[in-house]
Amino acid sequence: PIALTDFRAWLATKYGAPPALNTAWGTSYAAFSDVPWPVQPPPEFSVNTEARRDWMRWRQTRLFDFCVAVKRTVATQSAVPV
């Protein structure tokens, strides 16, 4: 999924390398590609505050990006200021 790839890229940008992510999350991922999509949240998302916080930050960031894109699109089609 595109969102999973984006989430992993976001983590890579934030942490730089898996050891930094593992330190923050208390996990042992060998690569960012090992981080699962939390459809059924893995244990680290349930008990690890930093993992849950990162997940929420990523979601909020992407929702904001979406809203900005919608606003720009509407603004180009509307005679009324948006």
Side-chain angles (χ1 to χ4, degrees):
I2 293 170
L4 176 57
T5 300
D6 186 69
F7 179 53
R8 289 171 173 165
W10 185 88
L11 291 172
T13 299
K14 179 176 181 181
Y15 290 104
L21 172 72
N22 291 330
T23 298
W25 285 20
T27 54
S28 58
Y29 296 120
F32 289 108
S33 60
D34 295 334
V35 175
W37 183 252
V39 172
Q40 288 293 326
E44 61 268 22
F45 282 81
S46 319
V47 298
N48 184 319
T49 304
E50 192 61 28
R52 186 172 48 249
R53 192 175 296 132
D54 282 343
W55 170 243
M56 295 304 296
R57 283 184 192 132
W58 174 80
R59 289 179 53 192
Q60 289 170 340
T61 299
R62 291 305 169 250
L63 179 58
F64 178 80
D65 293 346
F66 174 76
C67 290
V68 168
V70 168
K71 180 182 177 202
R72 286 184 186 146
T73 301
V74 170
T76 64
Q77 304 297 317
S78 175
V80 179
V82 178

